[in-house]
Structure formats: C-alpha cells, structure tokens
C-alpha cells in the first residue's frame, strides 16, 4: 500500500522504538504528507492525556518529575510533550526543565519531547494530537502535555487532553490574578505546589472560594465540587512525594471513570485543525501587495487561497 | 449614501463624542455589518499606538496611569484599550485596574475601554484595529493597548501597535523566565517598573545581557541596541515619575521618527483578519456530527464552509 520506509517506521513505532517515535513525530510536526499518511495507518491506542499548565516558576517540571516516578512505579509507560507556545528563544527555559528530568533518560518507559508551534496555535494542536497518536500506538499509557504560560495555548490544550491540571506556586498573588485574567475555566484540577510553604493552605482556600463564586454565578466548568478541584502537592519531597501520589490517584481515577470529568473537547481540536489548514494554505499563497486597507487585503488573500482550500487531496 | 443613523454616529465620533465612540466600538466589536460600514466611512486619523504588555502584577496599570498624566500634560488626547485575552471571569481583574485610573474619568481627553475577544485571537485583532480607527477619527493622538499575560496575544498585538512595551516587576525571576519562554522577540522596549526596589538594576542588566545574547545568535528583532531597549521606570512616584517621563520621551521620539523602530506588522494584522473571517464563518456553519477522526471532520467542515467564504459581500 505505502512505501516500505513508511511501513517500517510504523512497525517500529508500534514496537515502542523511541527513535522511530521521534522520527514520526518530527514528520507530523513538520506537517509532511508522509507523516499524515503513516499516522492514518497506525493502530489506535488509548492513553490518559493530561495537560499540565501554569505560570513560569510554579514548579511544573518538579510535579511532572514526581508524576513520572509514581506512574513508572505502577509500570505505566509515560510520555511528556512540552509544548512551547512560540519562540525561537524558548529553547533555554525548556532545556533547563528537561535537564531536571534527566534521571529518566535511560528508561525506555519514559519519552520526553518538546513541540514547537512557530507561532500558530492551530498547527500546535494538530502536531500535538498527532504526537499523542504516535505515542499511543507505541504503548504509552499516560501522556503529560506541558504548556507554559497563561493564555490561548491553555484553551487549545482542552482539545487534545482528557483533563487539565494547573500547577501554582503558593502565596502567588500573581497566580491568582492570572486565574482571574482568564484561565479559571480551563483546568479540571488545581495543584498548589510546595505544600510545605506557609501560604499553601491560604492559596488553596482562595482558589476554592473563587471556584465557589464562579459556580454561584452559574459558571460551572467542572462536574467536581470546588473543594475537590484543588489539591495540595509537594513535588520535591525526596522521601517520596505524598502529594504527587494523591494527584496520581486522582488522574487514574479519572481515567477509569471513577471520578466525573469534562473530557476532551473534540470540537475545539477540529476547529484548531481547520485553522491550521487555513494557516498552511496562507503560507503557500502570497499575500496581496497592498496592505493599506487590511480588511480588503484579507478579503483578496482569502479569495486567492480558496482554490487551494478546495483541494480534497490533502488530509 | 448610508442610513442617517450611521452618518450621525460617524459625525459624532469625529467630534470626539465619547458615547459615540463607545457605541461604534461596540458595533465593531460585535462584528455588526453596520459597524464595518461606518468604519469605512470614517476619515483616517493617525495616532501613535503603543502596546503595553507584561505579566499580571508587573504594574502595567500604574505605568499606564503615569503615561496618561504625562501625555495629558502635553495636551495629547489619550485612549486606553484593555485587551482581555479570553475569559468571562476577567472582569474582576481588569475592573480593578480601571478603578485605579478613575482619576481620569471626567477628562474628555482620556478614553478607557475594555475589549473582549471571546477566545478568538483573530477577532480580537480585528476589533482592536477597528477600535483604534474609531479613536483616531475622534482625534486621539496616543492609543495605549494593554494586554495581560504571556503568549499569543502578545504576538497578535504587533499587527495593531506601532511599538510594544513590556512592563516587568524587578527581581522577577518569573518575568525573566517568561521572556525566555517566548516573548523576548515581541517588545521594542522593556520597562523595569518600581526602579526604587533593590533588584531593579540587576533585572535591567539581566535583560540587556539576554538581548545581547540573542543578538549574538543572529536573532536581532529591534534596530535599537540592547542597552537602549531597557528602561528603568518608577510609576508610583507621586511627585511626578521621572522614569515615566523618559518613557514618554522615547515613545514620542519613535512617533516622530527620531528613533529607529520596527513599526506595525501589517501582514500579521491581515492574517488575523483572515483567521477572524474563517472563525466567523465556522460559527455559522454547523460542525460535522462525527468528530472521531478529527482530520476528516476538519476537512468536511471546511468544505461545508467554503461557499460562505466565497461570498464577497461581507467586508
């Protein structure tokens, strides 16, 4: 049916070969037709996909490191996709985080990878969904999808993750302000990290109060009670982080249907894929030379792109 | 030519009537055909458009308040558009900021307004561009466009602003991490607020060093030298903030062409308008019922939307 190279690559992915996973994810990320073709041939798998988000410095990497250890102790294969919203400069920050997780570098049951978006959210969702399917075919049971920052990328994650965990530093007035500024509705679970710090309980209470207020205004996002949505966690406890263990139990309970959850927003993913396709076409069709009237320029550009959008050959 | 209501509204905007501005911006924001029509009839104006961005808690409102005072002292009319990236909950945070600026409520030379995006960046750029044109027609000389957070909205702002200022709290390890995580390339100017705090100079030096490193790697975003890109500012000095004065001078020098600048990214705006148009059509065309294969669903949805995209009647 397909070229033997592609078939071989798919076979090696199914065997769990990390190099094959990396190669196929790169093809998907670069939006290569071959990548999309092999993706369609892969057997379906099912992983619990957990979005892990939060502001810089909140300790996402520490929590993820704890999650990896606990999940590996339960013999689950774990993948981490670190989704980087935009920049050529972010290499530094993410690389630093990666280094902290190097303890897992020789474990074939752990796969860690950064995903770049090149500034386009639709493309990022498409690439992340593709990467998840590759990892599911390779037998990974849990995929942690890490995003940095506050904003649109947190909205986009709902389309690819089964549930979203927001990690916060305690005593973080900034964190609570950020919540107010727009992401209160995204997470299923709030994790206050560094539970040993004095402000942790107060931060938890403030969050629960905000969720209760939101619920009283009719903005009910999660089927969980506000008090059940906020966990205290201590990611860095070397003796075995108690808090992370309770987080793992909550995640696995969600996977097994023992806790209510909102689940993946399939429509959000489809919308992102449409946007990605339009964005891809716009890269192929030169923009109008005259940009002075931006609305007219947009109209002309879209008109020029339409014949390409009609092409049914591209998946 | 047009309904007398529209013509009257346009006339009143040109006279600087704040209620007329508010009404027309609402029509534009709600994407009403009447709003787009009146927008096309407005005489063109030219304001210096300054994006003011930064993480929550950095003191953007204090800096904006200082800018308003200094610009009013120079008899410039100043408008503030507070752009809110996503949420029904953000009312609280932005409202708090607004209250701090209430000293300007009776001054007709100051116009303050929040813009909501309802989760779609393209629509936000379109509405913000429209609002800027309304305010330019009304004779505002400077428009400050405030965005919250870190991420895509900072990329989008380049399409509507002539230059972008990032406000940071000193001693903010988080802030520097956020820069690394993707927005180093967006700002033209970095403003370290609260210059009296001990960490301010060190934060400035760290920023300059990062910009120099980026330049040495060939990532040159601004025509300014790194050392010229970072200002120390003290927004809250009641005696008349020296630092904000130097910021005002830099902004006006950019306006008058006395300093090099990158200017507005017109293509980014046009791309956002195309995305907004596609997003608008997708709201009108029901999504496919079967979302299991998201790529196929995206293809079918786009195919169903194509006839609507071809409609040349909508601007």
């Amino acid at each position: 049916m397909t070229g033997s190279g592609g078939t071989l690559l798919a076979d090696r992915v199914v065997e769990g070969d990390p190099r094959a996973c990396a190669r196929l994810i790169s093809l998907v990320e670069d939006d290569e037709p071959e990548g999309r073709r092999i993706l369609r041939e892969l057997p379906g798998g099912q992983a619990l996909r957990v979005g892990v988000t939060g502001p810089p410095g909140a300790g996402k990497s520490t929590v993820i490191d704890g999650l990896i250890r606990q999940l590996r102790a339960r013999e689950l294969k774990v993948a981490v996709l670190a989704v980087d919203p935009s920049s050529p400069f972010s290499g530094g920050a993410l690389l630093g985080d990666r280094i902290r997780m190097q303890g897992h570098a020789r474990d074939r049951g752990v796969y860690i990878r950064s995903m770049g978006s090149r500034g386009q959210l639709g493309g990022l969702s498409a690439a992340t969904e593709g990467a998840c399917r590759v990892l599911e075919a390779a037998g990974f049971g849990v995929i942690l999808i890490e995003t940095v920052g506050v904003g649109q990328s947190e909205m986009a994650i709902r389309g690819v993750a089964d549930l979203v965990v927001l990690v916060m530093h305690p005593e973080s007035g900034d964190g609570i302000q950020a919540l107010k500024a727009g992401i209160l509705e995204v997470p299923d679970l709030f994790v206050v990290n560094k539970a040993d710090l004095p402000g942790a309980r107060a931060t938890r209470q403030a969050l629960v109060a905000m969720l209760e207020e939101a619920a009283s205004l009719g903005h009910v996002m999660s089927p969980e009670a506000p008090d059940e949505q906020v966990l205290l966690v201590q990611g860095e406890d070397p003796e075995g982080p108690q808090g992370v263990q309770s987080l793992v139990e909550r995640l696995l309970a969600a996977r097994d249907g023992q806790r209510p959850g909102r689940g993946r927003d399939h429509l959000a993913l489809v919308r992102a894929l449409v946007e990605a396709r339009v964005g891809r076409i716009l890269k192929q069709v030169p923009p109008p030379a005259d940009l002075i009237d931006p609305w007219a320029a947009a109209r002309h550009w879209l008109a020029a792109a339409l014949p390409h959008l009609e092409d049914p050959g591209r998946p």
Side-chain angles (χ1 to χ4, degrees), chain A:
Chain A
M1 298 269 280
T2 64
S4 60
T7 306
L8 273 176
L9 191 55
D11 288 346
R12 283 171 52 212
V13 164
V14 172
E15 288 160 13
D17 178 347
R19 283 167 186 252
C21 291
R23 170 85 188 117
L24 183 50
I25 291 174
S26 292
L27 288 174
V28 169
E29 193 176 32
D30 294 343
D31 199 31
E32 295 285 342
E34 194 194 353
R36 292 195 295 274
R37 186 170 49 73
I38 302 176
L39 212 54
R40 279 200 302 275
E41 290 174 7
L42 286 180
Q46 271 211 313
L48 174 70
R49 303 180 186 179
V50 181
V52 181
T53 185
K60 291 185 292 297
S61 294
T62 316
V63 170
I64 287 173
D65 188 67
L67 285 175
I68 293 173
R69 286 177 204 284
Q70 297 271 342
L71 290 164
R72 288 302 291 146
R74 289 159 201 251
E75 295 186 354
L76 283 160
K77 284 177 73 178
V78 187
V80 181
L81 296 173
V83 172
D84 166 11
S86 55
S87 163
F89 290 108
S90 54
L94 288 174
L95 204 63
D97 291 350
R98 293 297 78 69
I99 287 164
R100 279 198 253 170
M101 296 191 217
Q102 267 185 354
H104 310 290
R106 283 153 198 270
D107 178 356
R108 266 185 80 149
V110 178
Y111 183 88
I112 298 176
R113 157 124 194 171
S114 296
M115 309 283 298
S117 78
R118 288 144 215 179
Q120 213 233 352
L121 280 179
L124 188 60
S125 297
T128 305
E129 174 68 24
C132 285
R133 290 179 179 225
V134 172
L135 294 164
E136 285 171 342
F140 285 88
V142 179
I143 303 173
L144 306 174
I145 305 162
E146 178 193 4
T147 59
V148 180
V150 171
Q152 296 297 118
S153 52
E154 277 61 45
M155 306 292 284
I157 206 178
R158 283 229 66 91
V160 292
D162 297 305
L163 79 174
V164 175
V165 174
L166 178 78
V167 179
M168 289 178 57
H169 192 282
E171 307 175 321
S172 159
D174 284 14
I176 294 197
Q177 254 201 295
L179 290 179
K180 284 197 190 168
I183 54 166
L184 190 61
E185 65 266 52
V186 174
D188 300 273
L189 285 175
F190 295 80
V191 162
V192 180
N193 193 16
K194 301 169 199 176
D196 53 329
L197 289 188
R201 284 188 174 276
T203 301
R204 182 182 180 282
Q205 280 161 10
L207 273 170
V208 171
M210 280 177 65
L211 290 167
E212 280 167 351
E213 189 196 337
S216 76
L217 295 169
H219 300 295
V220 178
M221 245 66 67
S222 168
E224 291 274 12
D227 193 53
E228 295 284 317
Q229 269 187 275
V230 188
L231 298 180
L232 285 171
V233 153
Q234 196 171 339
E236 271 178 358
D237 181 353
E239 302 299 306
Q242 284 298 323
V244 171
Q245 195 170 332
S246 66
L247 175 58
V248 166
E249 279 157 17
R250 282 294 288 274
L251 298 179
L252 296 180
R255 179 193 65 177
D256 301 337
Q258 293 158 12
R259 305 274 321 188
R262 287 180 292 166
R264 221 173 288 169
D265 182 348
H266 295 282
L267 186 56
L269 173 62
V270 173
R271 187 177 286 116
L273 293 178
V274 172
E275 287 166 6
R277 182 143 197 234
V278 173
R280 197 163 67 208
I281 300 293
L282 289 182
K283 278 188 195 148
Q284 295 163 10
V285 177
D290 182 357
L291 301 175
I292 298 305
D293 178 344
W295 283 274
R299 218 157 49 231
H300 294 148
W301 201 5
L302 191 53
L306 277 175
H308 301 268
L309 289 169
E310 276 165 3
D311 170 15
R314 296 200 74 185

